[in-house]
Amino acid sequence: MRARLLAATVALLVERGFAGTTTTLVSERAGVSRGAQLHHFPTKNDLVFAAVSHVTATRGVELAAAAARIPAGPQRTRAVLGMLADHFTSPVFTAALELWVAARTDPDLLAEVAPLEQRVGRETHRLTVELLDADESKAGVRELVQATLDLVRGLGLASTITDDARRRKRILDRWSEVLEEELS
Amino acid sequence: MRARLLAATVALLVERGFAGTTTTLVSERAGVSRGAQLHHFPTKNDLVFAAVSHVTATRGVELAAAAARIPAGPQRTRAVLGMLADHFTSPVFTAALELWVAARTDPDLLAEVAPLEQRVGRETHRLTVELLDADESKAGVRELVQATLDLVRGLGLASTITDDARRRKRILDRWSEVLEEELS
């Protein structure tokens, strides 16, 4: 029941945004009685805090699963970029975006979101270094990996209001060339 | 009076977010009577639509002014990146972010925000090409300029919940090296 409530919260964050995600809609969506929901999560904030952890864990699991599917070989760098871009344009990124933006002006929510976000950021960085087989002991490599992650975050934000899959593909093709050149 | 109302709307978007920006708060902040405000902007949406245009125009003016201050010479690429990053971490970017995210789940607002955002995107691209003296007739140059703008957008989003000015500086230093190498 807890999992159903959290999944419903994430789905509503994507469809209706943070402000439009109400406890009533969540219980309807999850098919859970108001009483049962209030037992698990007495307030919207309790629900959202738990959803923050849920979103974070989901992002980690999704990324690791996608990473495991990447083939070795000459197209690997491009495949890694494609995987990251898919992740940063997925519903779970959109849900996270809603939480970030809400947290910006809500100190209680920020106290929950910021440490989790830092952890996800570190894990995503570590995973990307590993997938790209990047040697961070070389000068400038760490910053290139960071730039890659900021680039896909920017592409993710752009994708939320414009459908620009073709533009994104060309940019990733080009960045893949530059990254391979710089990392080799 | 109109300008005061729009400036107050933008300031409230930054401080309280889209959901926390109410017409009552705007009239208080602007020092304008409720009656006068309702005369100019009958609904919150009217106010927000006008604020969207105002934010967009402000972004254009701020960018052009910053661009005019960039010196020529060997540090020019890094200065251009610094200018873009300053812009994408400024209050006017934060206000725009609030509007984008609200527009994602509000079709009426999206209809206002999306075309303006495309125009700003094109103008920022054109300005960046000009400032970097980039030759877009060469293969891959256009995509690198686009990647640069997506990078600073990603840095801007990251900066809204974590203060990472030092991290940002190192990334921009490195990106500047890559960009100079690739564009020359």
Side-chain angles (χ1 to χ4, degrees):
Chain A
M1 184 179 294
R2 194 184 149 85
R4 281 217 316 272
L5 287 165
L6 297 181
T9 304
V10 172
L12 283 166
L13 285 171
V14 173
E15 281 171 32
R16 310 241 180 164
F18 184 83
T21 298
T22 64
T23 52
T24 308
L25 283 175
V26 170
S27 61
E28 280 174 21
R29 176 87 170 219
V32 167
S33 74
R34 287 288 283 163
Q37 175 179 325
L38 291 171
H39 172 72
H40 283 280
F41 304 105
T43 68
K44 173 174 173 177
N45 268 7
D46 292 325
L47 196 52
V48 168
F49 290 169
V52 172
S53 296
H54 182 67
V55 165
T56 308
T58 307
R59 285 167 74 198
V61 169
E62 284 192 359
L63 263 179
R69 289 192 298 269
I70 293 180
Q75 295 298 311
R76 187 166 173 88
T77 301
R78 182 61 182 82
V80 172
L81 293 183
M83 177 207 90
L84 290 171
D86 286 348
H87 179 67
F88 278 81
T89 53
S90 70
V92 81
F93 170 80
T94 306
L97 177 64
E98 288 287 340
L99 292 174
W100 292 336
V101 171
R104 198 184 65 76
T105 51
D106 179 338
D108 291 341
L109 190 56
L110 185 62
E112 299 284 323
V113 170
L116 279 173
E117 191 48 39
Q118 288 182 343
R119 210 182 69 202
V120 174
R122 278 196 301 270
E123 282 172 14
T124 310
H125 184 97
R126 187 196 51 71
L127 184 69
T128 306
V129 166
E130 193 185 303
L131 290 171
L132 293 173
D133 199 17
D135 179 1
E136 290 201 307
S137 68
K138 285 188 196 160
V141 167
R142 180 173 177 74
E143 289 74 17
L144 274 183
V145 174
Q146 289 177 317
T148 299
L149 291 169
D150 282 298
L151 168 64
V152 289
R153 188 189 291 119
L155 290 170
L157 178 56
S159 80
T160 62
I161 64 165
T162 54
D163 178 29
D164 60 353
R166 278 196 304 177
R167 185 185 83 97
R168 193 160 59 242
K169 184 189 168 305
R170 285 196 306 269
I171 293 172
L172 293 173
D173 287 345
R174 184 72 181 101
W175 183 244
S176 175
E177 289 173 6
V178 174
L179 199 55
E180 284 203 342
E181 206 175 291
E182 294 286 336
L183 293 182
S184 70
Chain B
M1 183 178 296
R2 194 184 149 84
R4 277 211 325 268
L5 286 166
L6 296 182
T9 304
V10 172
L12 283 166
L13 283 172
V14 173
E15 281 171 33
R16 310 241 181 166
F18 184 84
T21 299
T22 64
T23 52
T24 309
L25 283 174
V26 170
S27 62
E28 280 174 21
R29 175 88 171 221
V32 167
S33 74
R34 287 286 283 164
Q37 175 180 322
L38 290 172
H39 172 72
H40 283 280
F41 304 105
T43 67
K44 174 174 172 177
N45 267 7
D46 293 325
L47 196 53
V48 169
F49 290 170
V52 173
S53 297
H54 181 68
V55 164
T56 308
T58 306
R59 285 168 72 196
V61 169
E62 283 191 1
L63 262 180
R69 288 192 298 269
I70 293 181
Q75 296 298 310
R76 187 166 173 88
T77 301
R78 182 60 182 83
V80 172
L81 293 182
M83 178 205 89
L84 290 172
D86 286 348
H87 179 66
F88 278 80
T89 53
S90 71
V92 82
F93 170 81
T94 305
L97 177 64
E98 289 287 341
L99 292 174
W100 292 336
V101 171
R104 199 183 65 75
T105 50
D106 179 337
D108 291 342
L109 189 56
L110 185 62
E112 298 284 322
V113 169
L116 281 172
E117 190 49 39
Q118 288 183 343
R119 209 181 70 205
V120 175
R122 279 195 300 269
E123 282 172 14
T124 310
H125 184 97
R126 188 196 50 70
L127 183 70
T128 307
V129 166
E130 194 185 302
L131 290 172
L132 292 173
D133 199 18
D135 179 0
E136 290 201 305
S137 68
K138 287 189 196 160
V141 166
R142 180 172 177 76
E143 288 74 17
L144 273 184
V145 174
Q146 289 177 317
T148 300
L149 291 169
D150 282 296
L151 168 70
V152 290
R153 186 188 293 120
L155 290 170
L157 177 56
S159 80
T160 61
I161 62 166
T162 54
D163 178 29
D164 60 352
R166 278 196 304 176
R167 185 184 83 96
R168 193 160 59 242
K169 185 190 167 303
R170 285 197 306 269
I171 294 172
L172 293 172
D173 286 346
R174 186 72 181 98
W175 191 273
S176 175
E177 288 173 7
V178 172
L179 202 55
E180 285 202 340
E181 205 175 292
E182 294 287 335
L183 294 181
S184 69

